[in-house]
Amino acid sequence: MARTVWDSSVGKKTVMAVSGIVMLLYLVAHMIGNLKIYFGAGEFNSYAHWLRTVGEPFMHYEWTLWIIRVVLVVAVVAHATAAYQLSRRDIKARPSKYVHKKARTSYATRTMRWGGIILGLFIVWHLLDLTTGTVHSGGFQEGHPYQNVVDTFSTWYGNVIYIVAMLALGLHIRHGFWSAAQTLGAGGRTRERFLKGAANVLALLLTAGFIAVPVGVMTGVVS
């Protein structure tokens, strides 16, 4: 049954919707945590330490964090795989000489695929920068996330990469939230305006919330 569901276009769209919601919930929590950087190094570092001790003593050190990581990896892989396969299926279904006479989709819709690629590359860079420290500038300091974040956004390329990725994220959420609602049956004429408004507000808040961190470092508010 699982294979039958996965092989269908509806099944793949459902997987994309559910995995997208999982990632969206994480992004909201992640953004709120990131904004703690405005309260100083002590509180931000304490928050980072708390993430590793959630569930203690029932859960061992970092177990909860690793469970979250595994769930996110599964969600990202499922989301990307379903998106790729749907894209290939859509291309094969088109007549060879199919021509769009007029673009009727929004800018966010037309850039969903490129946006997904940008975000995928950004996730790899972000992990290598602030999790493993492999590409980190200024000398990665284990256990000092506040200083690591300041180091990253003290470079022009760190700011450019992050801000471009967050703008792509905003467009992705704007279309993705609406699409997920439609797939899961939450859409409808009476709720269409509300869902579109919610998608726009959510995309704007998340984009602004994430970009506020590099802006804080660039302006010297966070130093």
Side-chain angles (χ1 to χ4, degrees), residues 6 9-25 75-76 78-83 86 112 172-173 175-186:
W6 173 252
S9 295
V10 174
K12 293 183 189 299
K13 289 180 180 180
T14 302
V15 169
M16 284 191 68
V18 173
S19 59
I21 290 174
V22 170
M23 291 186 286
L24 182 60
L25 292 174
V76 170
H79 196 81
T81 302
L86 282 170
M112 280 294 283
H172 211 76
I173 291 173
H175 174 72
F177 181 84
W178 165 249
S179 180
Q182 294 293 102
T183 298
L184 298 177

Side-chain angles (χ1 to χ4, degrees), residues 8-47:
S8 69
S9 295
V10 174
K12 293 183 189 299
K13 289 180 180 180
T14 302
V15 169
M16 284 191 68
V18 173
S19 59
I21 290 174
V22 170
M23 291 186 286
L24 182 60
L25 292 174
Y26 166 77
L27 287 171
V28 171
H30 189 41
M31 181 201 69
I32 294 172
N34 281 0
L35 292 177
K36 287 181 178 291
I37 201 167
Y38 279 94
F39 295 94
E43 182 156 347
F44 190 73
N45 289 340
S46 295
Y47 162 69

Side-chain angles (χ1 to χ4, degrees), residues 87 107-122 164-165 168-169 171-172:
S87 177
Y107 180 78
T109 302
R110 296 195 301 271
T111 56
M112 280 294 283
R113 292 168 186 168
W114 281 109
I117 294 173
I118 291 172
L119 291 173
L121 294 174
F122 168 74
V164 168
L169 175 67
L171 291 174
H172 211 76

Side-chain angles (χ1 to χ4, degrees), residues 31-182:
M31 181 201 69
I32 294 172
N34 281 0
L35 292 177
K36 287 181 178 291
I37 201 167
Y38 279 94
F39 295 94
E43 182 156 347
F44 190 73
N45 289 340
S46 295
Y47 162 69
H49 176 72
W50 171 80
L51 289 175
R52 289 158 173 76
T53 60
V54 173
E56 288 188 342
F58 178 74
M59 300 291 285
H60 193 60
Y61 182 76
E62 285 195 343
W63 278 14
T64 302
L65 184 59
W66 273 106
I67 290 173
I68 294 173
R69 286 169 174 168
V70 170
V71 170
L72 283 172
V73 168
V74 172
V76 170
V77 171
H79 196 81
T81 302
Y84 173 77
Q85 292 183 358
L86 282 170
S87 177
R88 296 298 301 173
R89 184 172 293 181
D90 181 52
I91 291 172
K92 290 180 180 179
R94 294 177 184 175
S96 58
K97 295 183 178 180
Y98 182 84
V99 178
H100 285 287
K101 295 182 178 180
K102 184 178 180 181
R104 295 185 179 181
T105 56
S106 67
Y107 180 78
T109 302
R110 296 195 301 271
T111 56
M112 280 294 283
R113 292 168 186 168
W114 281 109
I117 294 173
I118 291 172
L119 291 173
L121 294 174
F122 168 74
I123 289 172
V124 174
W125 178 84
H126 196 52
L127 291 174
L128 292 175
D129 179 32
L130 293 175
T131 300
T132 66
T134 307
V135 298
H136 186 74
S137 61
F140 184 76
Q141 300 181 49
E142 186 70 37
H144 295 82
Y146 181 92
Q147 188 58 49
N148 292 333
V149 170
V150 172
D151 287 343
T152 289
F153 296 128
S154 294
T155 62
W156 68 267
Y157 59 86
N159 289 315
V160 170
I161 292 172
Y162 192 86
I163 291 174
V164 168
M166 293 307 100
L167 292 174
L169 175 67
L171 291 174
H172 211 76
I173 291 173
R174 181 174 177 268
H175 174 72
F177 181 84
W178 165 249
S179 180
Q182 294 293 102

Side-chain angles (χ1 to χ4, degrees), residues 200-218:
N200 289 333
V201 171
L202 190 59
L204 179 62
L205 287 177
L206 283 171
T207 303
F210 279 117
I211 290 179
V213 177
V215 169
V217 176
M218 285 189 289

